[in-house]
Amino acid sequence: MSTPQNRVRVPAPVNAHSHAFHRILRGRTHEGADGAAGDFWTWREHMYAAAASLTPAAYQQLATAVFAEMVVAGYSAVGEFHYLHHQPGGQPYGSGGHGESHAMELALGRAAVAAGIRLVLLDTCYLQGGLTLQGEMLELDDTQQRFSDRSVEGWLLRHESLAAALAELDAGAGLLSLGAAVHSVRAVAPSDLATIAARLDPALPLHVHLSEQPAENHACAAAYGTSPTGLLEQAGLLGARLSAVHATHLDETDIRALGAARAGIVMCPTTEADLGDGIGPARELADAGAHLSLGSDQHAVLDPYLEQRALEHAERLRSGKRGRFSPTEISTAARAGGLRSLGLAENDDFLMVRTDSVRTAGSRPAQLPLTATAADIIEVHINGELVASHGIHTRLGDPAALYAAFFNNNPEFS
């Protein structure tokens, strides 16, 4: 395929970590009701309110807008870390005449098909409410009831039946596939981690939030006498199919273990900055043998170039040195690392990117990850289809209009 001189063809990046419903929080959590600066707990309060209120119909509408925004920003595939499974109160959908089985999961699948993005649904096990800093297990709160299958057996059974439902929805299009996730070591007990290690299909990608905040490490040490990484290793989950999301607060033993296992590491730089989580040891993890990928997590920003740039810029701020990751390395994390993390095969999804904008004029093509933004993407091709052109989705139109319709139809989120 020949290209004009003012554009370059680029393999399309992959978003390895997403919570679609968190998009509701953009621009709403930086200040509390009393005017004080919004902290993590302000953010968490808004997140739980959104989780408590979403219906399958509203979630499909929201996720369609989110996935359309991803597509026009240049993402070709997304790993959706999904734990919003059940009705408020925890009753499964499809029981007692309340909607179809797997209603929330199928809402995400339909949204992905509408947007034309490859979706790996990382169906998440979430069984307890957390751990105190003293290591005591917390019961599920009212909102968390929606997240839980009550037992690891219940999660495994629902996960197995979900595979068939997704395959039927995909109908051979090649857009939808199923993976798995453990929410965190705070939400799943060691015995249940071991059951997942023994019984989950070893071919499936498995993701876990890991050491996002120091409090998680302190609670895990108090409860189990080891770090979250150490607990996963004891359970038999540390391996090449595992992707640790965030991996921000690790010690040298953790880094060596993740590297030796050739585990995936999903960094989410814009979210980690937005929430004040910290800067993870990305360079050390890569040098130890781990495989880096990138995700947008809560979608404070949806721009694959800004995630790539933030990975290198965070390393510069942390180390005081430039060039901690080369342009090729951050491009590899955005593309090949994401495919590996989600268990996706290599494909021909690609972007056409402007090289003559105010941001990119004069840039060497290999260094575009350090100058371009999503505004420079002219075309997005996924699964053999032109799905976006000049910031507009070819079938769904302007994602901004999709968001406007969602917020107009669901004023409780406005």
Side-chain angles (χ1 to χ4, degrees):
M1 177 179 178
S2 62
T3 59
Q5 291 184 350
N6 65 345
R7 61 185 65 185
V8 63
R9 175 172 167 150
V10 176
V14 172
N15 188 343
H17 187 69
S18 162
H19 300 293
F21 80 90
H22 288 191
R23 173 57 181 82
I24 292 171
L25 309 179
R26 187 188 291 177
R28 301 181 62 82
T29 65
H30 303 284
E31 187 175 80
D34 58 358
D39 59 12
F40 174 80
W41 302 106
T42 307
W43 178 90
R44 188 178 186 270
E45 179 182 345
H46 282 269
M47 187 270 283
Y48 269 49
S53 301
L54 274 171
T55 64
Y59 203 11
Q60 182 173 334
Q61 187 178 23
L62 173 64
T64 300
V66 173
F67 293 155
E69 185 186 3
M70 284 186 197
V71 165
V72 302
Y75 287 114
S76 60
V78 57
E80 181 64 27
F81 197 109
H82 170 67
Y83 51 85
L84 192 51
H85 302 304
H86 304 302
Q87 300 174 55
Q91 186 76 2
Y93 284 100
S95 62
H98 293 284
E100 63 181 341
S101 298
H102 306 299
M104 296 299 267
E105 292 76 19
L106 293 177
L108 289 165
R110 292 182 180 114
V113 169
I117 195 169
R118 300 183 192 273
L119 170 71
V120 180
L121 187 63
L122 299 166
D123 190 71
T124 302
C125 185
Y126 195 124
L127 299 177
Q128 61 188 36
L131 296 170
T132 69
L133 287 177
Q134 293 73 40
E136 298 170 347
M137 189 269 285
L138 295 170
E139 298 292 336
L140 297 164
D141 66 21
D142 289 344
T143 299
Q144 290 169 328
Q145 300 292 334
R146 297 195 76 175
F147 308 163
S148 180
D149 294 295
R150 302 295 181 267
S151 70
V152 69
E153 295 286 344
W155 176 73
L156 286 164
L157 285 171
R158 189 183 52 74
H159 186 271
E160 182 179 355
S161 66
L162 177 57
L166 274 184
E168 182 178 356
L169 181 61
D170 187 52
L175 289 177
L176 306 182
S177 56
L178 181 64
V182 169
H183 181 271
S184 61
V185 300
R186 294 174 290 109
V188 182
S191 60
D192 293 329
L193 295 174
T195 298
I196 291 169
R199 293 184 49 190
L200 185 69
D201 182 351
L204 293 179
L206 178 66
H207 287 217
V208 58
H209 292 130
L210 186 77
S211 294
E212 183 175 2
Q213 296 185 343
E216 177 184 342
N217 293 349
H218 297 325
C220 185
Y224 309 121
T226 188
S227 68
T229 300
L231 194 65
L232 294 176
E233 188 169 31
Q234 291 175 11
L237 286 174
L238 209 59
R241 66 95 167 253
L242 183 77
S243 287
V245 181
H246 302 303
T248 305
H249 301 282
L250 305 177
D251 62 23
E252 291 183 3
T253 300
D254 296 330
I255 292 169
R256 286 196 301 271
L258 288 160
R262 300 296 186 263
I265 305 293
V266 187
M267 295 288 186
C268 304
T270 62
T271 285
E272 289 146 11
D274 181 75
L275 295 181
D277 287 339
I279 300 171
R283 183 70 265 172
E284 290 88 342
L285 283 161
D287 289 344
H291 295 264
L292 299 187
S293 58
L294 294 167
S296 65
D297 195 354
Q298 60 155 336
H299 320 309
V301 174
L302 266 174
D303 188 321
Y305 283 122
L306 294 186
E307 298 293 351
Q308 291 173 68
R309 193 134 70 242
L311 177 66
E312 165 63 7
H313 284 180
E315 280 290 317
R316 294 180 184 186
L317 291 169
R318 188 169 72 94
S319 68
K321 298 177 182 178
R322 300 179 84 225
R324 295 279 283 172
F325 287 102
S326 70
T328 297
E329 285 178 305
I330 60 176
S331 296
T332 297
R335 168 70 180 182
L339 291 172
R340 180 188 183 276
S341 176
L342 298 180
L344 293 172
E346 184 56 65
N347 56 58
D348 196 36
D349 299 342
F350 69 93
L351 315 177
M352 299 301 298
V353 183
R354 284 186 63 181
T355 57
D356 63 349
S357 75
V358 293
R359 292 164 295 277
T360 62
S363 296
R364 292 173 178 168
Q367 296 187 31
L368 283 172
L370 292 163
T371 60
T373 72
D376 298 308
I377 295 172
I378 301 171
E379 294 180 356
V380 182
H381 296 254
I382 302 173
N383 207 27
E385 179 187 355
L386 173 65
V387 289
S389 177
H390 297 276
I392 301 298
H393 197 282
T394 55
R395 285 186 272 118
L396 298 174
D398 187 348
L402 300 178
Y403 283 125
F406 168 77
F407 287 111
N408 286 337
N409 292 340
N410 300 276
E412 66 271 27
F413 299 120
S414 298

